[in-house]
Amino acid sequence: MDTQTIHHLIQQGLPDATIDVHGADGVHFEAQVISAAFEGKMPLARHRMVYATLGELMGGAIHALALKTLTPAELQAQNK
């Protein structure tokens, strides 16, 4: 598995998202996903939305995925 494939799959499922994926060992990854679709959702629901884009790869080809999920407004507030 590679970061580009993960990025592509998340982008397909959350087309409005800005995504940054890192992971050098091919099984452990970190991703920051920024999407307006997360508005009003708790962190667990946001993570489930991202996991749904990856389907059966989670727990298989992708052993671990650490997520940071934000709305655009949250990112803007964080960067002030």
Side-chain angles (χ1 to χ4, degrees):
M1 184 55 53
D2 62 75
T3 58
Q4 290 179 337
T5 300
I6 293 170
H7 183 282
H8 177 73
L9 291 169
I10 296 171
Q11 194 78 70
Q12 280 186 313
L14 296 166
D16 77 319
T18 301
I19 304 155
D20 188 25
V21 182
H22 298 280
D25 69 0
V27 291
H28 299 94
F29 300 93
E30 297 177 10
Q32 176 174 283
V33 183
I34 301 153
S35 173
F38 296 148
E39 193 69 46
K41 294 186 173 40
M42 299 296 290
L44 182 58
R46 295 174 182 194
H47 289 199
R48 286 181 177 157
M49 289 171 68
V50 175
Y51 293 150
T53 68
L54 301 170
E56 294 179 3
L57 294 174
M58 286 304 304
I62 302 170
H63 178 71
L65 176 64
L67 287 173
K68 181 173 186 178
T69 54
L70 301 166
T71 66
E74 290 169 339
L75 179 65
Q76 186 176 16
Q78 177 180 301
N79 290 334
K80 283 188 176 180

